[in-house]
């Protein structure tokens, strides 16, 4: 018999004797009887279930980050701390500053959405003492509905910024290596060797990173996972390292952790990532998890493909390097062998002759899956393109480069004739599908036009970034 899940809940050391693959939302409402945390969509979209989770960042400092408890598993709480809307209310006699200001400022929304909004804003004030308006909107992008008005909520956040006290960071006992019982085991390895030997011993186990993709199986399809291996605590996977030529993200680095690095080297990539889900999703979701899904509409792949990224895969017979180009085999099928994981994602740092942009076309600006995502990287000598990379998501069963469009551009100037030839190559190379996000014709046209947008963009014309 392994042991129960131990964590700090609203400041108190807590033991939960439930299955580690139960969602935190289910446990909070059903077992802990903390029903301020609401269930709206149960798939990470609406923010009604937002909680604050204490996690160690890549610098090993603890911080409170927002998460969607509907797609967070109880096993992910082991050795950490959780703050719910009730915990916030208990922070001061008359509630947390955000709660007070929302009440005084007439910012309350419906009973489902208000708690999640308060939690998201309290989380923001932990990270930024005096957030600007853009940062407030960004923090709320994962709280979908604000029926009764956006303005009073922003004002409440601004007023609360002057009086919000920092929520103390508890010091829970470090995570146990194994929790749960024989029906449901949850493994929390601390080193890469431990992780690989667990995978070898339990090849049927679910490999779990942030869970923002795979936990939907539990939240929606009521899947039960007899064995789960969490990557989060593996020290080797929690690093971001830079050499003179390459930036390397460990296989458990989240999008939110990667964001400042992307901002520094590839601002266009950072703009895309700020539209990747919401703060709740980016704080949990990892780059490796995004690639690991081998989803045709994963937003990370097109940009990483044109930047020449490669992966370090670690498995039972050691490590191997693989260009990202070779990783996606078919719809949701990757080149990972049994027992192998993505140990790191390596991205060559930009050289002065590189021009790079990535664009996402989605129905909604924030928190939406791409209809088409196009990424472009050119190396130019004088006015001649010496190297072109063009890649798309949403256009085929896998994220894919368009070799014919690249050939149409190389050796040419980026002008009318080369653009026409490359756009024709894009339309001929892909046969996208029609679905609720867009018809095949729309996707083909949008993909080709994104190349033109890139050309206009780098020519100095201002192209408004808009959700189409
Ligand atoms: C509301 C919502 C919004 C979203 N918005 C976007 C979006 O805008 N753009 C987008 O691209 N995606 C989006 N996603 C999908 C998801 O958030 C991302 O794909 C995320 O990067 C997944 O990372 P994760 O750590 O949560 O992966 P998990 O769900 O933990 O795992 C996903 C898969 O990757 C595998 N895996 C994890 N780590 C490794 C590793 N180190 N090596 C090998 N395999 C591994 C897992 O076994 C699993 O098969 C969204 C999801 C939700 C719920
Ligand atoms: S219930 Fe909607 S995000 Fe969790
Ligand atoms: S449904 Fe709750 S504020 Fe709109």
């Amino acid at each position: 018999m392994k042991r129960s899940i131990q964590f700090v809940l609203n400041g108190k050391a807590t033991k939960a004797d439930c299955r580690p693959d139960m969602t935190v939302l289910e446990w909070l409402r059903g077992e802990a009887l903390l029903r301020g945390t609401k269930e709206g969509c149960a798939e990470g979209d609406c923010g009604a279930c937002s909680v604050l989770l204490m996690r160690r960042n890549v610098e090993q400092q603890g911080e409170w980050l927002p998460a969607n408890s509907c797609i967070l598993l109880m096993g992910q709480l082991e050795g950490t701390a959780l703050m719910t809307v009730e915990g916030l209310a208990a922070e001061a006699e008359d509630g947390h500053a955000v709660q007070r200001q929302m009440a005084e400022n007439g910012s309350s929304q419906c009973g489902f959405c208000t708690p999640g909004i308060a939690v998201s804003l309290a989380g923001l004030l932990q990270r930024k003492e005096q957030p600007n308006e853009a940062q407030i909107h960004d923090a709320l992008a994962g709280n979908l509905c604000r029926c009764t008005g956006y303005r009073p909520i922003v004002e409440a956040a601004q007023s609360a910024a002057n009086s919000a006290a920092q929520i103390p960071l508890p010091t829970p006992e470090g995570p146990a290596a194994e929790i749960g019982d024989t029906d449901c085991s949850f493994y929390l390895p601390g080193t890469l060797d431990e992780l690989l030997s667990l995978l070898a011993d339990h090849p049927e186990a679910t490999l779990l990173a942030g869970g923002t993709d795979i936990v939907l199986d539990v939240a929606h399809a009521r899947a039960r996972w007899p064995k789960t291996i969490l990557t989060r605590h593996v020290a080797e996977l929690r690093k971001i390292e830079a050499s003179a030529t390459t930036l390397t993200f460990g296989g458990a680095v989240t999008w939110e952790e990667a964001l400042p690095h992307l901002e520094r080297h590839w601002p266009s990539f950072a703009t895309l990532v700020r539209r990747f889900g919401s703060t709740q999703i980016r704080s949990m979701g990892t780059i490796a998890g995004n690639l690991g899904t081998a989803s045709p509409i994963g937003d990370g792949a097109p940009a990483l493909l044109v930047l020449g990224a490669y992966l370090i895969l670690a498995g039972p017979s050691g490590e191997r390097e693989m260009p990202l180009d070779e990783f996606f085999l078919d719809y949701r099928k990757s080149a990972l062998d049994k027992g192998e994981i993505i140990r790191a994602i390596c991205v060559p740092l930009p050289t002065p002759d590189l021009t790079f942009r990535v664009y996402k076309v989605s129905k909604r600006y924030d928190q939406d899956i791409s209809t088409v995502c196009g990424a472009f990287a050119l190396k130019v000598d004088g006015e001649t393109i010496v190297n072109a990379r063009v890649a798309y998501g949403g256009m085929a069963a896998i994220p894919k480069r368009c070799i014919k469009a690249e050939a149409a551009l190389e050796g040419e100037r980026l002008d009318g004739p080369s653009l026409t030839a490359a756009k024709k190559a894009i339309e001929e190379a892909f046969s996208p599908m029609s679905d609720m996000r867009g018809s095949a014709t729309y996707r083909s046209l949008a993909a080709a036009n994104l190349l033109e947008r890139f050309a206009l963009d780098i020519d100095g014309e201002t192209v408004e970034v808009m959700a189409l």
Side-chain angles (χ1 to χ4, degrees), residues 109-110 112-113 145-148:
Q109 309 293 299
C110 79
F112 274 85
C113 304
C145 190
R146 281 154 262 165
C147 298
T148 56

Side-chain angles (χ1 to χ4, degrees), residues 43-45 71 206-216 231 237 251-252 255 275-278 281 284-290 292-293 297-300 336 340-343 360 367-369:
E43 59 181 20
D45 272 317
I71 51 169
T206 303
L207 183 70
L208 174 67
T212 61
D213 184 89
I214 203 170
V215 173
L216 289 172
T231 62
L237 305 183
W255 284 109
R275 291 178 59 194
F276 189 114
S278 56
I281 295 293
M284 297 297 297
T286 61
I287 309 176
N290 193 237
T293 63
I297 46 175
D299 280 334
L336 279 176
E340 222 176 17
I341 63 145
I342 300 171
R343 206 262 285 155
K360 170 169 173 168
Q367 176 90 311
D368 201 3
I369 304 288

Side-chain angles (χ1 to χ4, degrees), residues 396-410:
I398 55 171
K400 207 169 175 183
R401 278 171 63 195
C402 184
I403 305 291
K404 284 193 175 153
E406 294 173 0
L409 294 171
E410 283 176 4

Side-chain angles (χ1 to χ4, degrees), residues 218-441:
V218 176
H220 261 184
R222 300 273 160 199
R224 285 290 173 238
W225 293 345
K227 290 178 182 176
T228 305
I229 303 173
L230 187 65
T231 62
R232 170 74 196 183
H233 301 289
V234 176
E236 293 92 328
L237 305 183
R238 296 281 307 135
K239 290 180 181 166
I240 301 178
E241 291 169 316
S243 74
T245 55
T246 312
L247 191 59
T248 301
F249 298 102
V253 168
T254 65
W255 284 109
E256 198 66 24
E257 288 164 339
L259 198 48
H261 301 267
L262 301 179
E263 182 75 65
R264 189 168 321 129
H265 299 292
W266 305 279
S268 169
F269 201 170
T271 301
L272 174 94
V273 171
R274 277 193 289 272
R275 291 178 59 194
F276 189 114
S278 56
T279 316
Q280 287 93 324
I281 295 293
R282 293 191 299 271
S283 299
M284 297 297 297
T286 61
I287 309 176
N290 193 237
L291 302 176
T293 63
S295 162
I297 46 175
D299 280 334
L304 291 168
L305 279 171
V306 302
L307 291 172
Y310 58 96
L311 307 178
I312 300 176
L313 308 181
S317 41
E319 292 198 344
R320 58 180 177 139
E321 266 183 34
M322 178 178 284
L324 188 57
D325 265 357
E326 295 169 18
F327 183 71
F328 303 109
L329 299 184
D330 204 345
Y331 179 73
R332 291 218 173 234
K333 187 171 174 356
S334 78
L336 279 176
D337 281 339
K338 252 211 157 2
E340 222 176 17
I341 63 145
I342 300 171
R343 206 262 285 155
I345 301 104
C346 308
V347 196
L349 285 168
T351 47
D353 57 347
L354 180 87
T355 306
F356 162 80
R357 297 284 193 286
V358 56
Y359 306 107
K360 170 169 173 168
V361 178
S362 56
K363 289 202 163 192
R364 183 173 178 263
Y365 186 81
D366 287 308
Q367 176 90 311
D368 201 3
I369 304 288
S370 288
T371 307
V372 177
C373 180
F376 311 93
L378 297 184
K379 289 196 174 178
V380 180
D381 183 6
E383 292 204 330
T384 307
I385 300 166
V386 289
N387 185 275
R389 290 257 187 155
V390 175
Y392 290 100
M395 291 294 288
I398 55 171
K400 207 169 175 183
R401 278 171 63 195
C402 184
I403 305 291
K404 284 193 175 153
E406 294 173 0
L409 294 171
E410 283 176 4
E412 307 290 333
R413 295 172 45 176
L414 190 61
D415 57 10
S418 69
L419 266 180
T420 306
K423 282 175 70 176
K424 189 160 175 281
I426 293 163
E427 283 174 13
E428 286 170 2
F430 294 103
S431 308
M433 60 189 270
S434 293
D435 64 10
M436 61 181 179
R437 293 195 186 93
S439 66
T441 314

